[in-house]
Amino acid sequence: MYADSALSLVVPLCVIALVFITRRVVLSLWIGILLAGIMLKDSVFDILKYIFNVVFGVFYSAGEVQSNALYVFGFLILLGILTQLMQCSGGMNAFVHWARERVKSARGSEFVAFIAGIIIFIDDYFNALTVGQIARPLNDANHSTRERLAYIIDSTSAPICILMPISSWGAYILGIMGGLIEGTSSFSVLAQSIWGNYYAWFALFGVFLTILWQINLPVMRHNQGVGVESFDEIKPHSGGNIWLLILPIAALIFFVGFFIFYSGYQETQSLELLVMLANAQTGFSLFWGGVCALTLSVLLAWNRIEWNEYPLIIKDGFLSMLPANLILIFAWAIGPVIKNDLQTGIYLANWSKDFLASGVLSAEIVTPIILFVSASFIAFCTGTSWGTFAIMLPIGASIASINGVDAMLSISAVLAGAVYGDHTSPISDTTILSATGAGCSVQSHFITQLPYATSVAFVALISFGIAGLFESLVFGYLIGFLLMFGIFYGFKRYFSEPLDFEK
């Protein structure tokens, strides 16, 4: 209905504006769904029925229970309980004391999160939530804010997943790249696109410089600890053991990884790595990996926690994850509304195709730039990079072919733009889960991350133009890294004062 109308942009832009104005994500998402109902339906009854179907559709749709969503919600609750259990058993305190003897600065603890984010590259959900559990106690102890940790998590999880072919992202992209470039295999296209993905590489470099130089832009300084809640009823036991934290987290990594490959094998009966990853059931893997890790944690803490403490641990674990679950429900509810009902992505994709077909400017320069901007805006408005891949990759390949420009660079521009738009969108699940992993509010993470990520996106945009103009990826990297160093060095000179924790 709205595929050919700019009205398809009304709902996503309204939601994003309301997040800025009210800083209440659930309210903003709810108003967005209501506005879509008003645009699509004629009567009050039909509007209310539409809203109910949209929200209920997160759990039950097309005659089927949406098991993946239920598994993810269950995993978040399990993770909250596991966190409270590790705190109550004294494992977190023991880890902080152990780590502070070795890592004694905010810079050091943030580098731990950065390195962990690069190592855990199999899946972005898994990355965001696991790195948060590893790094949050240490970052808190060394006075690094939750918002900085959320930025580090978000700007490593998606970029590293898209740069690694052996990941859930790589497997998914392979599935939609078949036949994009005639005579070239999907894996070859993906492997070559990695080297042209300026945004992903620069995002990692930007995180590195931000940590190294302790850059705190004004928005980061003025939004520290917003919405961070503490559940202080549970008192940790004295004399905890570091293994009460290390073993549950190691078990979580092992079991989730095991179930990812197991579920992929069950779907395909194939032992090929990429085939298993392409068909892995992430929600299933997270949930049952969480069950196994929580079971092990209970057994390890058996002699340290009284039975009457478990109800409080469960209650606080559930409450700690309730805001994230509520936001995720509404984010997943509004996703199909924007993508399928309003067809925002199709409108933006058609706009970019028409603009490029007009031949107003040099195709070599404009094509990768427009594809990057279009993919960024689609992902930002819809909150999904994977949906953007499905819409824009075929368009990018066909536009490159029609205009006679570098197809690999065009595909890289689509992938890069989709990652930037997704991980800066306030309605993206990766934004929500990165904030959840770090333990800060979604709105403060969204607001504080945006200028860092957008600075990187600006540099990537320039690099795509340079690479298209000179037909050289290397020259694009040379200019890009010089710009990155210059911009972030300027940030260092003016915005590297330590955060004030006394306010």
Side-chain angles (χ1 to χ4, degrees):
M1 181 184 295
Y2 290 100
D4 299 319
S5 171
L7 289 174
S8 66
L9 296 172
V10 169
V11 169
L13 292 180
C14 175
V15 171
I16 292 162
L18 285 172
V19 170
F20 270 112
I21 295 167
T22 67
R23 300 197 177 185
R24 297 174 65 182
V25 179
V26 173
L27 175 64
S28 303
L29 292 169
W30 166 255
I31 292 174
I33 295 171
L34 174 62
L35 182 58
I38 294 171
M39 292 173 65
L40 295 165
K41 303 299 176 181
D42 298 323
S43 68
V44 174
F45 176 77
D46 286 340
I47 291 171
L48 293 176
K49 182 180 177 182
Y50 175 79
I51 293 171
F52 174 80
N53 288 336
V54 163
V55 177
F56 188 68
V58 174
F59 306 98
Y60 187 84
S61 179
E64 294 182 356
V65 174
Q66 300 301 299
S67 57
N68 185 68
L70 294 176
Y71 277 133
V72 171
F73 296 140
F75 173 72
L76 287 175
I77 293 170
L78 288 171
L79 191 64
I81 296 170
L82 180 63
T83 301
Q84 296 298 320
L85 189 63
M86 291 187 296
Q87 178 183 334
C88 183
S89 68
M92 281 193 177
N93 274 355
F95 174 77
V96 169
H97 292 147
W98 175 85
R100 288 196 73 172
E101 295 177 359
R102 295 156 179 81
V103 181
K104 300 183 179 181
S105 66
R107 180 183 289 110
S109 60
E110 289 170 0
F111 270 125
V112 169
F114 178 64
I115 293 168
I118 291 175
I119 292 172
I120 304 173
F121 58 80
I122 290 179
D123 182 76
D124 58 326
Y125 284 14
F126 181 35
N127 181 305
L129 294 167
T130 305
V131 173
Q133 296 305 299
I134 294 170
R136 190 166 65 193
L138 184 58
N139 274 38
D140 287 351
N142 285 313
H143 287 182
S144 173
T145 66
R146 300 281 181 86
E147 287 75 20
R148 282 182 65 87
L149 178 57
Y151 160 64
I152 293 166
I153 291 171
D154 210 352
S155 288
T156 52
S157 61
I160 199 63
C161 285
I162 204 169
L163 293 175
M164 292 292 180
I166 305 175
S167 69
S168 60
W169 282 53
Y172 172 78
I173 293 167
L174 284 174
I176 57 177
M177 273 189 173
L180 280 185
I181 299 179
E182 189 175 348
T184 307
S185 69
S186 297
F187 189 83
S188 177
V189 174
L190 176 60
Q192 292 181 65
S193 73
I194 289 169
W195 301 111
N197 196 327
Y198 290 118
Y199 179 77
W201 290 109
F202 292 159
L204 295 174
F205 186 52
V207 174
F208 174 81
L209 293 179
T210 299
I211 297 171
L212 180 67
W213 290 334
Q214 288 295 286
I215 296 168
N216 290 297
L217 298 179
V219 69
M220 184 69 79
R221 189 176 302 280
H222 298 145
N223 289 276
Q224 61 188 70
V226 176
V228 174
E229 296 185 16
S230 178
F231 296 84
D232 294 326
E233 296 98 329
I234 298 176
K235 301 299 180 183
H237 289 262
S238 59
N241 191 308
I242 188 174
W243 295 106
L244 294 171
L245 179 133
I246 292 178
L247 287 179
I249 291 178
L252 185 67
I253 294 171
F254 171 79
F255 284 117
V256 171
F258 168 79
F259 282 115
I260 281 174
F261 290 106
Y262 171 79
S263 63
Y265 173 76
Q266 287 293 101
E267 290 289 318
T268 62
Q269 300 298 307
S270 170
L271 290 174
E272 291 185 34
L273 194 63
L274 289 173
V275 173
M276 287 190 289
L277 281 170
N279 293 277
Q281 305 299 309
T282 301
F284 168 88
S285 306
L286 288 171
F287 179 79
W288 288 110
V291 168
C292 293
L294 182 59
T295 301
L296 176 65
S297 187
V298 170
L299 293 174
L300 289 172
W302 188 266
N303 296 324
R304 300 190 57 81
I305 300 177
E306 301 294 333
W307 281 109
N308 59 4
E309 294 179 276
Y310 280 100
L312 190 58
I313 289 172
I314 293 171
K315 185 199 82 172
D316 280 359
F318 175 82
L319 290 176
S320 68
M321 291 298 174
L322 184 58
N325 270 331
L326 286 175
I327 293 171
L328 205 53
I329 287 169
F330 281 97
W332 279 350
I334 205 171
V337 170
I338 294 171
K339 180 183 176 183
N340 301 326
D341 297 348
L342 298 175
Q343 298 184 308
T344 302
I346 294 174
Y347 168 76
L348 290 170
N350 289 336
W351 174 86
S352 66
K353 193 193 306 185
D354 293 342
F355 182 85
L356 286 167
S358 67
V360 176
L361 297 170
S362 170
E364 290 80 3
I365 304 173
V366 172
T367 298
I369 289 177
I370 292 298
L371 290 175
F372 178 81
V373 171
S374 300
S376 297
F377 198 52
I378 291 171
F380 188 75
C381 290
T382 60
T384 169
S385 52
W386 286 25
T388 305
F389 295 153
I391 294 169
M392 286 298 297
L393 279 174
I395 290 173
S398 63
I399 286 174
S401 176
I402 291 168
N403 292 321
V405 300
D406 188 345
M408 295 301 176
L409 187 63
S410 298
I411 288 171
S412 295
V414 170
L415 295 175
V419 171
Y420 164 65
D422 173 58
H423 97 248
T424 54
S425 172
I427 61 175
S428 163
D429 46 11
T430 52
T431 302
I432 295 163
L433 294 177
S434 295
T436 301
C440 69
S441 67
V442 174
Q443 56 266 36
S444 64
H445 167 47
F446 160 64
I447 290 167
T448 54
Q449 173 179 249
L450 194 58
Y452 293 87
T454 302
S455 299
V456 174
F458 170 75
V459 174
L461 192 69
I462 299 297
S463 292
F464 277 117
I466 294 293
L469 176 63
F470 294 98
E471 299 183 356
S472 170
L473 285 178
V474 174
F475 200 49
Y477 274 113
L478 178 63
I479 299 299
F481 277 115
L482 287 174
L483 281 172
M484 283 289 297
F485 190 86
I487 290 171
F488 278 76
Y489 184 77
F491 289 163
K492 175 197 173 186
R493 289 200 62 183
Y494 296 103
F495 306 117
S496 61
E497 294 180 11
L499 292 171
D500 179 12
F501 286 89
E502 300 301 323
K503 66 178 192 175

